[in-house]
């Protein structure tokens, strides 16, 4: 009996909900219309002539403030730049010596170092994919030393010494001085398990080496004496520990004498190239990490030789698999 009246009750509910929905929709439309009118009034109020809530005078003051602010900032910047231009030297650093990060003794660096997070040179003999990053890095570094990039009036030949009256010019470094065994045609020795490594002294403005004049000086090691030349900063490499010395084998140096003193001092000359020394490990023991320490020898370098300071010293490791 009750089920007969249920559809009627539902129809009556639908009839009551219909007007309610229309009233809610009307209120919603009115709210949206008011919001839109408020937004238009905020952007531009024709009655008060306000734009974004401000009259022309207020906007003028805001613009004037920011113009004055940025003019003051720009003026201070120009004053600072003027002071720096008067105080700083365009060619060399104003502060030099041990009290600055630019120490009086140059550090030494090596190539290849494609990954500067490690000093390990590891590769598999006869497997190009393992040593190609190292050989590519060496070749890329030597590109700046190609003969065509050392041409011009600013370059001079210093093989027989620096000619007088050419202090402002730079010495031309000949890649041929690095020897015939360490070339890209020979994969810099990596394919044969005889890796080549480039050594260089870091540039320090105004620094000049005080080379040893006597090859019998007790300050230089015995391994350097056969290659000693008073016009060069000598270079030696050996194992860091006694066990490393047993595994490192023989080492060749090119140029044998070391770094020519005629390339110094570095005075920020245009086209300056640091002198290089190429070392080659001729018969290192395979499968063992060999820690290597290389040192530069001059009167104003040797007293500060210390691995921690890395002044005139460089350490790295090789592993030939």
């Amino acid at each position: 009996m009750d089920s007969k009246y249920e559809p009627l009750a539902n129809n009556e509910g639908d009839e009551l909900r219909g007007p309610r929905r229309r009233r809610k929709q009307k209120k919603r439309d009115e709210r949206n219309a008011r919001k839109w009118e408020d937004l238009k009034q905020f952007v531009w109020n024709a009655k008060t002539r306000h734009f974004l809530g401000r009259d022309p005078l207020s906007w003028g003051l805001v613009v004037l403030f920011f113009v004055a602010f940025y003019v003051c900032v720009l003026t201070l910047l120009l004053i600072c730049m003027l002071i720096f231009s008067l105080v700083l030297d365009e060619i060399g650093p104003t502060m030099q010596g041990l009290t600055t990060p630019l120490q009086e003794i140059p550090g030494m660096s090596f190539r290849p170092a494609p990954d500067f997070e490690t000093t390990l040179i590891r590769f598999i003999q006869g497997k190009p994919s393992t040593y190609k990053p190292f050989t590519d890095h060496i070749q890329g570094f030597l590109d700046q030393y190609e003969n065509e990039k050392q041409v011009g009036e600013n370059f001079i030949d210093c093989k027989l010494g620096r000619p007088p009256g050419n202090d402002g010019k730079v010495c031309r470094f000949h890649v041929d001085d690095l020897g015939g065994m360490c070339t890209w045609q020979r994969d810099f020795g990596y394919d044969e398990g005889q890796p080549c490594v480039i050594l260089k002294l870091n540039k320090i403005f105004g620094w000049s080496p005080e080379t040893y004049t006597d090859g019998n000086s007790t300050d230089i090691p015995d391994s350097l004496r056969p290659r000693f030349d008073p016009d060069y900063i000598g270079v030696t490499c050996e194992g860091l520990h006694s066990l490393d010395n047993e595994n490192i084998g023989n080492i060749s140096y090119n140029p044998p004498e070391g770094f020519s003193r005629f390339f110094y001092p570095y005075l920020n000359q245009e086209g300056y190239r640091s002198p290089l020394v190429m070392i080659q490990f001729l018969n290192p023991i395979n499968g063992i990490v060999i820690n290597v320490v290389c040192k530069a020898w001059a009167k104003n370098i040797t007293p500060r030789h210390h691995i921690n300071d890395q002044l005139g010293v460089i350490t790295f490791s090789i592993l030939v698999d």
Side-chain angles (χ1 to χ4, degrees), residues 1 36 69 90 95 114 120 256 308 316:
M1 192 68 181
W36 177 243
F69 173 76
E90 294 182 359
M95 300 181 65
L120 176 64
N308 293 337
F316 58 93

Side-chain angles (χ1 to χ4, degrees), residues 42-63:
F42 174 73
V43 174
W44 172 247
N45 192 322
K47 294 181 181 179
T48 60
R49 303 187 65 80
H50 281 192
F51 176 69
L52 296 179
R54 292 179 179 271
D55 59 16
L57 177 60
S58 178
W59 276 116
L61 293 175
V62 170
V63 172

Side-chain angles (χ1 to χ4, degrees), residues 162 167 204 206-209 261-267 269 272:
R162 177 180 286 274
D167 294 339
I204 292 186
W207 181 83
S208 293
R261 69 178 180 88
F262 300 116
F263 283 77
Y264 303 95
Y266 165 67
L267 300 174
Q269 305 99 315
Y272 180 85

Side-chain angles (χ1 to χ4, degrees), residues 28 64 98 102 105 154 159 168-169 209 224 242 248 257:
R28 192 179 300 113
L64 181 62
L98 293 174
L102 295 175
I105 300 176
N154 200 43
K159 277 185 173 292
K169 297 188 177 182
L224 180 60
S242 58
I248 198 170
E257 302 84 0

Side-chain angles (χ1 to χ4, degrees), residues 175-183 185-186 254 280:
V175 180
D176 294 342
D177 292 341
L178 299 179
M181 299 301 295
C182 293
T183 61
Q185 294 93 336
R186 293 177 174 269
N254 284 290
Q280 184 176 20

Side-chain angles (χ1 to χ4, degrees), residues 132-183:
K132 193 174 187 303
F134 299 110
T135 57
D136 286 349
H137 195 234
I138 294 177
Q139 184 57 41
F141 180 77
L142 292 178
D143 281 344
Q144 61 183 312
Y145 287 85
E146 293 297 331
N147 292 334
E148 61 269 17
K149 296 184 179 180
Q150 299 186 77
V151 177
E153 296 181 356
N154 200 43
F155 291 92
I156 58 175
D157 197 331
C158 301
K159 277 185 173 292
L160 301 178
R162 177 180 286 274
N166 291 285
D167 294 339
K169 297 188 177 182
V170 296
C171 293
R172 184 182 292 107
F173 186 86
H174 299 275
V175 180
D176 294 342
D177 292 341
L178 299 179
M181 299 301 295
C182 293
T183 61

Side-chain angles (χ1 to χ4, degrees), residues 293-305:
V293 56
C294 295
K295 300 178 181 179
W297 297 89
K299 291 181 180 179
N300 53 349
I301 295 180
T302 305
R304 289 290 301 277
H305 273 169

